[in-house]
Amino acid sequence: LPPYQVLPASVSMEELPRSTVVLEEPPRPPRDHLVWSFFTTLYGNFCCLGLLAFVFSVKARDRKVLGDYSGALSYGSTAKCLNIVALVINIVIVVIVITVLA
């Protein structure tokens, strides 16, 4: 960096060129789907998929706190997939039970 120089008294700040600084947005932290996994564990825990989703959500939250966004994204997407699979299986089971009992 160049050394700083004292500004002469005859020069005002308005006459000097203005510098522009581009601020980048920090990356959005990935989602961990913890609440969804919690409710899947409570209400739709077919073959322990909800519990596995909850475990991966907690791991994603831990990685997010540590600043490892790639690890958090990986664990979060795994939790999301497990939640979706558990939801689809539960919907299929409910439809089958309704059609058999009706």
Side-chain angles (χ1 to χ4, degrees):
L1 295 173
Y4 290 103
Q5 297 177 359
V6 178
L7 189 63
S10 63
V11 178
S12 69
M13 291 296 289
E14 286 77 26
E15 296 174 2
L16 296 175
R18 301 202 184 265
S19 65
T20 57
V21 177
V22 178
L23 298 176
E24 295 181 11
E25 285 187 25
R28 251 182 60 196
R31 298 186 62 174
D32 53 17
H33 307 288
L34 188 68
V35 175
W36 186 13
S37 299
F38 178 72
F39 284 113
T40 303
T41 302
L42 289 179
Y43 298 115
N45 201 8
F46 181 77
C47 292
C48 295
L49 290 177
L51 183 63
L52 284 174
F54 188 73
V55 168
F56 278 102
S57 294
V58 170
K59 285 184 175 187
R61 179 155 293 186
D62 290 343
R63 288 286 145 194
K64 187 168 54 171
V65 168
L66 291 175
D68 180 16
Y69 289 146
S70 63
L73 183 65
S74 174
Y75 285 130
S77 65
T78 303
K80 181 180 177 181
C81 291
L82 289 170
N83 282 320
I84 290 172
V85 169
L87 179 68
V88 168
I89 289 174
N90 285 325
I91 289 173
V92 168
I93 288 173
V94 167
V95 168
I96 289 173
V97 167
I98 289 174
T99 56
V100 168
L101 294 178

Coordinates of all heavy atoms in Angstrom, one line a residue:
L1 N 0.8 -1.2 0.0 CA 0.0 0.0 0.0 C 0.9 1.2 0.0 O 1.9 1.3 0.7 CB -0.9 0.0 1.2 CG -1.9 -1.1 1.3 CD1 -2.6 -1.0 2.7 CD2 -3.0 -1.0 0.2
P2 N 0.4 2.3 -0.7 CA 1.2 3.5 -0.7 C 1.1 4.2 0.6 O 0.1 4.1 1.3 CB 0.6 4.3 -1.9 CG -0.7 3.8 -2.0 CD -0.7 2.3 -1.6
P3 N 2.1 4.9 1.0 CA 2.0 5.7 2.3 C 1.0 6.8 2.2 O 0.8 7.3 1.1 CB 3.4 6.2 2.5 CG 4.0 6.3 1.1 CD 3.4 5.1 0.4
Y4 N 0.4 7.1 3.3 CA -0.6 8.1 3.3 C 0.1 9.5 3.3 O 1.1 9.6 3.9 CB -1.6 8.0 4.5 CG -2.5 6.8 4.4 CD1 -2.2 5.6 5.1 CD2 -3.6 6.8 3.5 CE1 -3.0 4.5 5.0 CE2 -4.4 5.7 3.4 CZ -4.1 4.6 4.2 OH -5.0 3.5 4.0
Q5 N -0.6 10.4 2.7 CA 0.0 11.8 2.7 C -1.1 12.7 3.2 O -2.3 12.5 3.1 CB 0.3 12.2 1.2 CG 1.4 11.4 0.6 CD 1.6 11.8 -0.9 OE1 1.0 12.7 -1.4 NE2 2.6 11.1 -1.5
V6 N -0.6 13.8 3.8 CA -1.5 14.8 4.4 C -2.1 15.6 3.3 O -1.5 16.0 2.3 CB -0.7 15.7 5.4 CG1 -1.6 16.8 5.9 CG2 0.0 14.9 6.5
L7 N -3.4 15.7 3.4 CA -4.2 16.5 2.4 C -3.9 18.0 2.6 O -4.0 18.5 3.7 CB -5.7 16.2 2.6 CG -6.6 16.7 1.5 CD1 -6.3 16.0 0.2 CD2 -8.0 16.4 1.9
P8 N -3.5 18.6 1.5 CA -3.3 20.1 1.6 C -4.5 20.8 2.0 O -5.6 20.4 1.7 CB -2.8 20.5 0.2 CG -2.5 19.3 -0.5 CD -3.2 18.2 0.1
A9 N -4.4 21.9 2.7 CA -5.5 22.7 3.1 C -6.3 23.3 2.0 O -7.5 23.6 2.2 CB -5.0 23.8 4.1
S10 N -5.7 23.5 0.9 CA -6.4 24.1 -0.3 C -7.3 23.2 -1.0 O -8.2 23.6 -1.8 CB -5.4 24.7 -1.2 OG -4.6 23.7 -1.8
V11 N -7.2 21.9 -0.8 CA -8.1 20.9 -1.5 C -9.2 20.4 -0.5 O -9.0 20.1 0.6 CB -7.2 19.6 -1.9 CG1 -8.0 18.6 -2.5 CG2 -6.0 20.1 -2.7
S12 N -10.4 20.4 -1.1 CA -11.5 20.0 -0.3 C -11.9 18.5 -0.6 O -11.5 18.0 -1.7 CB -12.7 20.9 -0.5 OG -13.2 20.7 -1.8
M13 N -12.6 17.9 0.2 CA -12.9 16.5 0.0 C -13.9 16.3 -1.2 O -13.9 15.3 -1.8 CB -13.6 15.9 1.3 CG -12.6 15.8 2.4 SD -11.3 14.6 2.1 CE -12.2 13.1 2.1
E14 N -14.7 17.3 -1.5 CA -15.6 17.2 -2.6 C -14.9 17.2 -4.0 O -15.5 16.7 -4.9 CB -16.7 18.3 -2.6 CG -17.7 18.2 -1.5 CD -17.2 18.6 -0.1 OE1 -16.2 19.4 0.0 OE2 -17.7 18.1 0.9
E15 N -13.7 17.7 -4.0 CA -13.0 17.8 -5.3 C -12.3 16.5 -5.6 O -12.0 16.2 -6.8 CB -12.0 18.9 -5.3 CG -12.6 20.3 -5.1 CD -11.5 21.3 -5.0 OE1 -10.3 21.0 -5.0 OE2 -11.9 22.5 -4.8
L16 N -12.1 15.6 -4.6 CA -11.4 14.4 -4.9 C -12.3 13.3 -5.5 O -13.6 13.3 -5.3 CB -10.9 13.8 -3.5 CG -9.9 14.7 -2.8 CD1 -9.5 14.1 -1.5 CD2 -8.6 14.8 -3.7
P17 N -11.8 12.4 -6.3 CA -12.6 11.4 -6.9 C -13.1 10.4 -5.8 O -12.4 10.1 -4.9 CB -11.7 10.7 -7.9 CG -10.3 11.0 -7.4 CD -10.4 12.3 -6.7
R18 N -14.3 9.9 -6.0 CA -14.9 9.0 -5.1 C -14.5 7.6 -5.5 O -14.6 7.2 -6.7 CB -16.4 9.2 -5.0 CG -16.8 10.6 -4.6 CD -18.1 10.6 -4.0 NE -18.5 11.9 -3.7 CZ -18.4 12.5 -2.5 NH1 -17.8 11.8 -1.5 NH2 -18.8 13.7 -2.2
S19 N -14.2 6.8 -4.6 CA -14.0 5.4 -4.9 C -15.3 4.6 -4.6 O -16.1 4.9 -3.7 CB -12.8 4.8 -4.0 OG -13.2 4.8 -2.7
T20 N -15.4 3.5 -5.4 CA -16.6 2.7 -5.2 C -16.1 1.3 -4.7 O -15.1 0.8 -5.2 CB -17.4 2.5 -6.5 OG1 -16.5 2.0 -7.5 CG2 -17.9 3.8 -7.0
V21 N -16.8 0.8 -3.8 CA -16.5 -0.5 -3.2 C -17.7 -1.4 -3.5 O -18.9 -1.1 -3.2 CB -16.3 -0.4 -1.7 CG1 -16.0 -1.8 -1.1 CG2 -15.1 0.5 -1.5
V22 N -17.5 -2.5 -4.1 CA -18.6 -3.5 -4.4 C -18.6 -4.5 -3.3 O -17.6 -5.2 -3.0 CB -18.3 -4.2 -5.8 CG1 -19.4 -5.2 -6.0 CG2 -18.3 -3.2 -6.9
L23 N -19.7 -4.5 -2.6 CA -19.8 -5.5 -1.5 C -20.6 -6.7 -2.0 O -21.7 -6.6 -2.5 CB -20.6 -4.9 -0.3 CG -19.9 -3.7 0.3 CD1 -20.9 -3.1 1.4 CD2 -18.6 -4.0 0.9
E24 N -20.0 -7.8 -1.8 CA -20.6 -9.1 -2.2 C -21.5 -9.6 -1.1 O -21.1 -9.5 0.1 CB -19.6 -10.1 -2.6 CG -18.8 -9.8 -3.8 CD -17.8 -10.9 -4.1 OE1 -17.9 -12.0 -3.5 OE2 -16.9 -10.7 -4.9
E25 N -22.6 -10.1 -1.4 CA -23.5 -10.7 -0.4 C -22.8 -12.0 0.1 O -22.3 -12.8 -0.7 CB -24.9 -11.1 -0.9 CG -25.8 -9.9 -1.2 CD -27.1 -10.3 -1.6 OE1 -27.5 -11.5 -1.2 OE2 -27.8 -9.5 -2.2
P26 N -22.9 -12.2 1.4 CA -22.4 -13.5 1.9 C -23.3 -14.6 1.4 O -24.5 -14.4 1.2 CB -22.4 -13.4 3.4 CG -23.4 -12.3 3.7 CD -23.4 -11.4 2.5
P27 N -22.7 -15.8 1.2 CA -23.6 -16.9 0.7 C -24.6 -17.3 1.7 O -24.4 -17.2 2.9 CB -22.6 -18.1 0.5 CG -21.4 -17.7 1.3 CD -21.4 -16.2 1.4
R28 N -25.8 -17.6 1.2 CA -26.9 -18.0 2.0 C -26.6 -19.3 2.6 O -26.2 -20.2 1.9 CB -28.2 -18.1 1.2 CG -29.2 -17.0 1.6 CD -30.5 -17.1 0.8 NE -31.1 -18.3 1.1 CZ -32.1 -18.9 0.5 NH1 -32.5 -18.3 -0.6 NH2 -32.7 -20.0 0.8
P29 N -26.8 -19.5 3.9 CA -26.5 -20.8 4.5 C -27.5 -21.8 4.0 O -28.7 -21.5 3.8 CB -26.6 -20.6 6.0 CG -27.3 -19.3 6.2 CD -27.1 -18.5 4.9
P30 N -27.1 -23.0 3.8 CA -28.1 -24.0 3.3 C -29.1 -24.4 4.3 O -28.8 -24.2 5.5 CB -27.2 -25.2 2.9 CG -25.9 -25.0 3.6 CD -25.8 -23.5 3.8
R31 N -30.2 -24.9 3.9 CA -31.3 -25.3 4.8 C -31.0 -26.6 5.4 O -30.4 -27.5 4.8 CB -32.6 -25.3 4.1 CG -33.0 -24.0 3.5 CD -34.3 -24.0 2.9 NE -35.3 -24.3 4.0 CZ -36.6 -24.2 3.8 NH1 -37.1 -23.9 2.7 NH2 -37.4 -24.5 4.8
D32 N -31.4 -26.8 6.7 CA -31.1 -28.1 7.3 C -32.4 -28.9 7.5 O -32.2 -30.1 7.9 CB -30.4 -27.9 8.7 CG -31.2 -26.9 9.6 OD1 -32.4 -26.6 9.3 OD2 -30.6 -26.4 10.5
H33 N -33.6 -28.4 7.3 CA -34.8 -29.1 7.3 C -35.0 -29.8 8.7 O -35.6 -30.9 8.8 CB -34.9 -30.2 6.2 CG -34.6 -29.6 4.9 ND1 -35.5 -28.8 4.2 CD2 -33.6 -29.7 4.0 CE1 -35.0 -28.4 3.0 NE2 -33.8 -29.0 2.9
L34 N -34.6 -29.2 9.8 CA -34.7 -29.8 11.1 C -36.2 -29.9 11.5 O -36.5 -31.0 12.1 CB -33.9 -28.9 12.1 CG -33.8 -29.5 13.5 CD1 -32.9 -30.8 13.4 CD2 -33.1 -28.5 14.4
V35 N -37.0 -28.9 11.3 CA -38.4 -29.0 11.8 C -39.1 -30.1 11.0 O -39.9 -30.8 11.6 CB -39.1 -27.6 11.7 CG1 -40.5 -27.7 12.0 CG2 -38.3 -26.6 12.5
W36 N -38.9 -30.1 9.7 CA -39.6 -31.1 8.9 C -39.2 -32.5 9.3 O -40.0 -33.4 9.5 CB -39.2 -30.9 7.4 CG -39.9 -31.7 6.4 CD1 -41.0 -32.5 6.6 CD2 -39.6 -31.8 5.0 NE1 -41.4 -33.1 5.4 CE2 -40.5 -32.7 4.5 CE3 -38.6 -31.3 4.2 CZ2 -40.5 -33.1 3.1 CZ3 -38.6 -31.6 2.9 CH2 -39.5 -32.5 2.4
S37 N -37.9 -32.7 9.6 CA -37.4 -34.0 10.1 C -38.0 -34.4 11.4 O -38.3 -35.5 11.7 CB -35.9 -34.0 10.1 OG -35.3 -33.7 8.9
F38 N -38.1 -33.4 12.3 CA -38.7 -33.6 13.6 C -40.1 -34.1 13.5 O -40.5 -35.1 14.1 CB -38.6 -32.3 14.5 CG -39.3 -32.5 15.8 CD1 -38.6 -33.2 16.8 CD2 -40.5 -31.9 16.1 CE1 -39.2 -33.4 18.1 CE2 -41.0 -32.0 17.4 CZ -40.4 -32.8 18.3
F39 N -40.9 -33.5 12.7 CA -42.3 -33.9 12.5 C -42.4 -35.2 11.8 O -43.3 -36.1 12.0 CB -43.2 -32.9 11.8 CG -43.5 -31.7 12.7 CD1 -43.0 -30.5 12.5 CD2 -44.3 -31.9 13.8 CE1 -43.3 -29.4 13.4 CE2 -44.7 -30.9 14.7 CZ -44.1 -29.7 14.5
T40 N -41.5 -35.5 10.8 CA -41.5 -36.8 10.2 C -41.1 -37.9 11.2 O -41.7 -39.0 11.1 CB -40.4 -36.8 9.0 OG1 -40.8 -35.7 8.1 CG2 -40.4 -38.1 8.3
T41 N -40.2 -37.6 12.1 CA -39.9 -38.6 13.1 C -41.1 -38.8 14.0 O -41.3 -40.0 14.4 CB -38.7 -38.0 14.0 OG1 -37.6 -37.8 13.1 CG2 -38.3 -39.0 15.0
L42 N -41.8 -37.8 14.4 CA -43.0 -38.0 15.3 C -44.1 -38.7 14.6 O -44.8 -39.6 15.2 CB -43.4 -36.7 15.8 CG -42.5 -36.0 16.9 CD1 -43.1 -34.7 17.3 CD2 -42.3 -36.9 18.0
Y43 N -44.5 -38.3 13.4 CA -45.7 -38.7 12.7 C -45.5 -39.7 11.6 O -46.5 -40.4 11.2 CB -46.5 -37.5 12.2 CG -46.9 -36.6 13.3 CD1 -46.3 -35.3 13.4 CD2 -47.7 -37.0 14.3 CE1 -46.7 -34.4 14.4 CE2 -48.1 -36.1 15.3 CZ -47.6 -34.9 15.4 OH -47.9 -34.0 16.4
G44 N -44.4 -39.8 11.0 CA -44.2 -40.7 9.9 C -42.9 -41.4 9.9 O -42.1 -41.4 8.9
N45 N -42.6 -42.2 10.9 CA -41.3 -42.8 11.1 C -41.3 -44.2 10.5 O -41.0 -45.2 11.2 CB -41.0 -42.8 12.6 CG -39.5 -42.9 12.8 OD1 -38.7 -42.9 11.9 ND2 -39.1 -43.1 14.0
F46 N -41.7 -44.3 9.2 CA -41.7 -45.6 8.6 C -40.2 -46.1 8.4 O -39.4 -45.4 7.8 CB -42.4 -45.6 7.2 CG -42.5 -46.9 6.5 CD1 -43.4 -47.8 6.9 CD2 -41.6 -47.1 5.5 CE1 -43.4 -49.0 6.3 CE2 -41.7 -48.3 4.8 CZ -42.6 -49.3 5.2
C47 N -39.9 -47.3 8.9 CA -38.6 -47.9 8.7 C -37.5 -46.9 9.3 O -36.4 -46.9 8.7 CB -38.2 -48.3 7.3 SG -39.2 -49.7 6.7
C48 N -37.8 -46.1 10.3 CA -36.9 -45.2 10.9 C -36.3 -44.1 9.9 O -35.3 -43.6 10.1 CB -35.7 -45.9 11.6 SG -36.2 -46.9 13.0
L49 N -37.0 -43.9 8.8 CA -36.6 -42.9 7.9 C -36.7 -41.5 8.5 O -35.8 -40.6 8.2 CB -37.4 -42.9 6.6 CG -37.2 -44.1 5.7 CD1 -38.1 -44.0 4.5 CD2 -35.8 -44.2 5.2
G50 N -37.7 -41.2 9.3 CA -37.8 -40.0 10.0 C -36.6 -39.7 11.0 O -36.1 -38.6 11.1
L51 N -36.3 -40.8 11.7 CA -35.1 -40.7 12.6 C -33.8 -40.4 11.9 O -33.0 -39.6 12.3 CB -35.0 -41.9 13.5 CG -34.0 -41.9 14.5 CD1 -34.2 -40.8 15.6 CD2 -33.9 -43.3 15.2
L52 N -33.6 -41.1 10.8 CA -32.4 -40.9 9.9 C -32.4 -39.4 9.4 O -31.4 -38.8 9.4 CB -32.4 -41.9 8.8 CG -31.9 -43.3 9.2 CD1 -32.1 -44.2 7.9 CD2 -30.5 -43.3 9.6
A53 N -33.6 -39.0 8.9 CA -33.6 -37.6 8.4 C -33.3 -36.6 9.6 O -32.6 -35.6 9.3 CB -35.0 -37.3 7.9
F54 N -33.8 -36.9 10.8 CA -33.5 -36.0 11.9 C -32.0 -36.0 12.2 O -31.4 -34.9 12.5 CB -34.3 -36.5 13.1 CG -34.2 -35.5 14.3 CD1 -34.9 -34.3 14.2 CD2 -33.5 -35.8 15.4 CE1 -34.8 -33.4 15.3 CE2 -33.4 -34.9 16.5 CZ -34.1 -33.7 16.4
V55 N -31.4 -37.1 12.2 CA -29.9 -37.2 12.4 C -29.2 -36.4 11.4 O -28.3 -35.6 11.7 CB -29.5 -38.7 12.4 CG1 -28.0 -38.8 12.4 CG2 -30.0 -39.4 13.7
F56 N -29.5 -36.6 10.1 CA -28.8 -35.8 9.1 C -29.1 -34.3 9.2 O -28.3 -33.5 8.8 CB -29.2 -36.3 7.7 CG -28.4 -37.5 7.3 CD1 -29.0 -38.8 7.3 CD2 -27.1 -37.4 6.8 CE1 -28.3 -39.9 7.0 CE2 -26.4 -38.5 6.5 CZ -27.0 -39.8 6.5
S57 N -30.3 -33.9 9.6 CA -30.6 -32.5 9.8 C -29.8 -31.9 10.9 O -29.3 -30.8 10.8 CB -32.1 -32.3 10.2 OG -32.9 -32.7 9.1
V58 N -29.6 -32.7 12.0 CA -28.7 -32.2 13.1 C -27.3 -32.1 12.6 O -26.6 -31.1 12.9 CB -28.8 -33.1 14.3 CG1 -27.8 -32.8 15.4 CG2 -30.2 -33.0 14.9
K59 N -26.8 -33.0 11.8 CA -25.5 -32.9 11.3 C -25.3 -31.7 10.4 O -24.3 -31.0 10.4 CB -25.1 -34.2 10.5 CG -24.8 -35.4 11.3 CD -24.4 -36.6 10.5 CE -24.0 -37.7 11.3 NZ -23.4 -38.8 10.4
A60 N -26.4 -31.4 9.6 CA -26.3 -30.3 8.7 C -26.3 -29.0 9.5 O -25.6 -28.1 9.1 CB -27.6 -30.3 7.8
R61 N -27.0 -28.9 10.6 CA -27.0 -27.7 11.4 C -25.6 -27.6 12.1 O -25.1 -26.4 12.2 CB -28.1 -27.8 12.5 CG -28.1 -26.6 13.4 CD -29.3 -26.3 14.0 NE -30.3 -25.9 13.1 CZ -31.5 -25.5 13.4 NH1 -31.9 -25.4 14.7 NH2 -32.4 -25.1 12.5
D62 N -25.0 -28.7 12.5 CA -23.7 -28.6 13.1 C -22.7 -28.0 12.1 O -21.8 -27.2 12.4 CB -23.2 -29.9 13.6 CG -24.0 -30.4 14.9 OD1 -24.7 -29.5 15.5 OD2 -24.0 -31.6 15.2
R63 N -22.8 -28.6 10.9 CA -21.8 -28.1 9.8 C -22.1 -26.6 9.5 O -21.1 -25.9 9.2 CB -22.0 -29.0 8.5 CG -21.5 -30.3 8.7 CD -20.0 -30.3 8.6 NE -19.5 -31.3 9.5 CZ -18.2 -31.4 9.9 NH1 -17.4 -30.5 9.5 NH2 -17.8 -32.3 10.7
K64 N -23.3 -26.2 9.5 CA -23.6 -24.8 9.2 C -23.1 -23.9 10.3 O -22.5 -22.8 9.9 CB -25.2 -24.7 9.1 CG -25.6 -23.3 8.6 CD -27.0 -23.2 8.2 CE -28.0 -23.7 9.2 NZ -29.4 -23.4 8.9
V65 N -23.1 -24.3 11.5 CA -22.6 -23.5 12.6 C -21.1 -23.4 12.5 O -20.5 -22.4 12.8 CB -23.0 -24.1 14.0 CG1 -22.2 -23.5 15.1 CG2 -24.5 -24.0 14.2
L66 N -20.4 -24.5 12.0 CA -19.0 -24.5 11.9 C -18.5 -23.7 10.6 O -17.3 -23.5 10.5 CB -18.5 -25.9 11.8 CG -18.5 -26.7 13.1 CD1 -18.1 -28.2 12.9 CD2 -17.7 -26.1 14.2
G67 N -19.5 -23.4 9.7 CA -19.1 -22.6 8.5 C -18.8 -23.5 7.3 O -18.4 -23.0 6.3
D68 N -19.0 -24.8 7.5 CA -18.8 -25.8 6.4 C -20.0 -25.9 5.6 O -20.9 -26.8 5.8 CB -18.3 -27.1 6.9 CG -18.1 -28.2 5.8 OD1 -17.9 -27.8 4.7 OD2 -18.0 -29.4 6.2
Y69 N -20.2 -25.0 4.6 CA -21.5 -24.9 3.9 C -21.6 -26.1 2.9 O -22.7 -26.5 2.6 CB -21.6 -23.6 3.1 CG -21.9 -22.4 4.1 CD1 -21.4 -21.2 3.8 CD2 -22.6 -22.6 5.2 CE1 -21.6 -20.1 4.6 CE2 -22.8 -21.5 6.1 CZ -22.3 -20.3 5.8 OH -22.6 -19.2 6.6
S70 N -20.5 -26.6 2.4 CA -20.7 -27.7 1.4 C -21.1 -29.0 2.2 O -21.9 -29.7 1.7 CB -19.4 -28.0 0.7 OG -18.3 -28.3 1.6
G71 N -20.5 -29.2 3.4 CA -21.0 -30.3 4.2 C -22.4 -30.2 4.7 O -23.2 -31.1 4.7
A72 N -22.8 -28.9 5.0 CA -24.2 -28.7 5.5 C -25.1 -28.9 4.3 O -26.2 -29.4 4.5 CB -24.3 -27.3 6.0
L73 N -24.7 -28.5 3.1 CA -25.6 -28.7 1.9 C -25.8 -30.2 1.6 O -26.9 -30.6 1.3 CB -25.0 -28.0 0.7 CG -25.8 -28.1 -0.6 CD1 -27.1 -27.3 -0.4 CD2 -25.0 -27.5 -1.7
S74 N -24.7 -31.0 1.8 CA -24.8 -32.4 1.6 C -25.7 -33.1 2.6 O -26.6 -33.9 2.2 CB -23.4 -33.0 1.6 OG -23.4 -34.4 1.5
Y75 N -25.5 -32.8 3.8 CA -26.3 -33.4 4.9 C -27.8 -32.9 4.8 O -28.7 -33.7 5.0 CB -25.8 -33.1 6.3 CG -24.6 -33.9 6.6 CD1 -23.4 -33.3 7.2 CD2 -24.5 -35.3 6.5 CE1 -22.3 -34.0 7.5 CE2 -23.4 -36.0 6.9 CZ -22.3 -35.4 7.4 OH -21.2 -36.1 7.7
G76 N -28.0 -31.7 4.5 CA -29.3 -31.1 4.3 C -30.1 -31.7 3.2 O -31.3 -32.0 3.3
S77 N -29.4 -31.9 2.0 CA -30.1 -32.6 0.9 C -30.4 -34.0 1.2 O -31.4 -34.5 0.8 CB -29.2 -32.4 -0.4 OG -28.1 -33.2 -0.3
T78 N -29.5 -34.7 1.9 CA -29.8 -36.1 2.3 C -31.1 -36.1 3.2 O -31.9 -37.0 3.1 CB -28.6 -36.7 3.0 OG1 -27.5 -36.7 2.2 CG2 -28.9 -38.2 3.4
A79 N -31.1 -35.2 4.2 CA -32.3 -35.1 5.1 C -33.6 -34.8 4.3 O -34.6 -35.4 4.6 CB -32.1 -34.1 6.2
K80 N -33.5 -34.0 3.3 CA -34.6 -33.6 2.5 C -35.1 -34.8 1.7 O -36.3 -35.1 1.7 CB -34.3 -32.5 1.5 CG -35.4 -32.0 0.7 CD -34.9 -30.9 -0.3 CE -36.0 -30.5 -1.2 NZ -35.6 -29.4 -2.1
C81 N -34.2 -35.6 1.1 CA -34.6 -36.8 0.4 C -35.2 -37.8 1.3 O -36.2 -38.4 0.9 CB -33.4 -37.4 -0.3 SG -32.7 -36.4 -1.7
L82 N -34.7 -38.0 2.5 CA -35.3 -39.0 3.4 C -36.7 -38.5 3.9 O -37.6 -39.4 4.0 CB -34.3 -39.2 4.6 CG -33.1 -39.9 4.4 CD1 -32.1 -39.8 5.6 CD2 -33.3 -41.4 4.0
N83 N -36.8 -37.2 4.1 CA -38.2 -36.7 4.4 C -39.2 -36.9 3.3 O -40.3 -37.3 3.5 CB -38.1 -35.2 4.8 CG -37.6 -35.0 6.1 OD1 -37.9 -35.7 7.1 ND2 -36.7 -34.0 6.3
I84 N -38.7 -36.7 2.1 CA -39.6 -36.9 0.9 C -40.0 -38.4 0.8 O -41.2 -38.7 0.6 CB -39.0 -36.4 -0.4 CG1 -38.9 -34.8 -0.3 CG2 -39.8 -36.8 -1.6 CD1 -38.1 -34.2 -1.4
V85 N -39.0 -39.3 0.9 CA -39.3 -40.7 0.8 C -40.3 -41.1 1.9 O -41.2 -41.9 1.7 CB -38.0 -41.5 0.8 CG1 -38.3 -43.0 1.0 CG2 -37.2 -41.2 -0.4
A86 N -40.1 -40.7 3.1 CA -40.9 -41.0 4.2 C -42.3 -40.5 4.0 O -43.3 -41.2 4.3 CB -40.4 -40.5 5.5
L87 N -42.5 -39.3 3.5 CA -43.8 -38.7 3.2 C -44.5 -39.5 2.1 O -45.7 -39.8 2.3 CB -43.6 -37.2 2.8 CG -44.9 -36.5 2.5 CD1 -45.7 -36.3 3.7 CD2 -44.5 -35.2 1.8
V88 N -43.8 -39.8 1.1 CA -44.5 -40.6 0.0 C -44.9 -42.0 0.5 O -46.0 -42.4 0.2 CB -43.5 -40.7 -1.2 CG1 -44.0 -41.7 -2.2 CG2 -43.3 -39.4 -1.9
I89 N -44.1 -42.6 1.2 CA -44.4 -44.0 1.8 C -45.6 -43.8 2.7 O -46.6 -44.7 2.6 CB -43.2 -44.6 2.5 CG1 -42.2 -45.0 1.4 CG2 -43.7 -45.8 3.3 CD1 -40.9 -45.6 2.0
N90 N -45.7 -42.8 3.5 CA -46.8 -42.6 4.4 C -48.1 -42.3 3.7 O -49.2 -42.8 4.0 CB -46.5 -41.6 5.5 CG -45.6 -42.0 6.5 OD1 -45.6 -43.2 6.9 ND2 -44.7 -41.2 7.0
I91 N -48.0 -41.5 2.6 CA -49.2 -41.2 1.8 C -49.7 -42.5 1.1 O -50.9 -42.8 1.1 CB -48.9 -40.1 0.8 CG1 -48.7 -38.8 1.5 CG2 -50.0 -40.0 -0.3 CD1 -48.3 -37.7 0.6
V92 N -48.8 -43.3 0.6 CA -49.2 -44.6 0.0 C -49.8 -45.5 1.0 O -50.9 -46.2 0.7 CB -48.0 -45.2 -0.7 CG1 -48.3 -46.7 -1.1 CG2 -47.5 -44.4 -1.9
I93 N -49.3 -45.6 2.2 CA -49.9 -46.5 3.2 C -51.3 -46.0 3.6 O -52.2 -46.8 3.7 CB -48.9 -46.5 4.4 CG1 -47.7 -47.4 4.1 CG2 -49.7 -47.1 5.6 CD1 -46.7 -47.3 5.2
V94 N -51.5 -44.7 3.7 CA -52.8 -44.1 4.0 C -53.8 -44.4 2.9 O -54.9 -44.8 3.2 CB -52.7 -42.6 4.4 CG1 -54.0 -42.0 4.4 CG2 -51.9 -42.4 5.6
V95 N -53.4 -44.3 1.7 CA -54.2 -44.5 0.6 C -54.6 -46.0 0.5 O -55.8 -46.4 0.3 CB -53.6 -44.1 -0.8 CG1 -54.4 -44.6 -2.0 CG2 -53.5 -42.5 -0.8
I96 N -53.7 -46.9 0.8 CA -53.9 -48.3 0.8 C -54.9 -48.7 1.9 O -55.9 -49.4 1.7 CB -52.6 -49.1 0.9 CG1 -51.8 -49.0 -0.4 CG2 -52.9 -50.6 1.2 CD1 -50.5 -49.6 -0.4
V97 N -54.7 -48.1 3.1 CA -55.6 -48.4 4.2 C -57.0 -47.9 3.9 O -58.0 -48.6 4.2 CB -55.0 -47.8 5.5 CG1 -56.0 -47.8 6.6 CG2 -53.7 -48.6 5.9
I98 N -57.1 -46.7 3.4 CA -58.4 -46.2 3.1 C -59.1 -47.0 2.0 O -60.3 -47.3 2.1 CB -58.3 -44.7 2.6 CG1 -57.9 -43.8 3.8 CG2 -59.6 -44.2 2.0 CD1 -57.7 -42.4 3.5
T99 N -58.4 -47.5 1.0 CA -59.1 -48.3 -0.1 C -59.4 -49.7 0.4 O -60.4 -50.2 0.0 CB -58.2 -48.4 -1.3 OG1 -56.9 -48.9 -0.9 CG2 -58.0 -47.0 -2.0
V100 N -58.7 -50.2 1.3 CA -58.9 -51.6 1.8 C -60.1 -51.5 2.8 O -61.0 -52.4 2.8 CB -57.7 -52.2 2.5 CG1 -58.1 -53.4 3.3 CG2 -56.6 -52.5 1.5
L101 N -60.2 -50.5 3.6 CA -61.3 -50.4 4.6 C -62.6 -49.8 4.0 O -63.6 -50.0 4.6 CB -60.8 -49.5 5.8 CG -59.7 -50.0 6.7 CD1 -59.3 -49.0 7.7 CD2 -60.1 -51.4 7.2
A102 N -62.5 -49.2 2.9 CA -63.7 -48.6 2.3 C -64.5 -49.6 1.5 O -64.3 -50.6 1.2 CB -63.3 -47.4 1.4

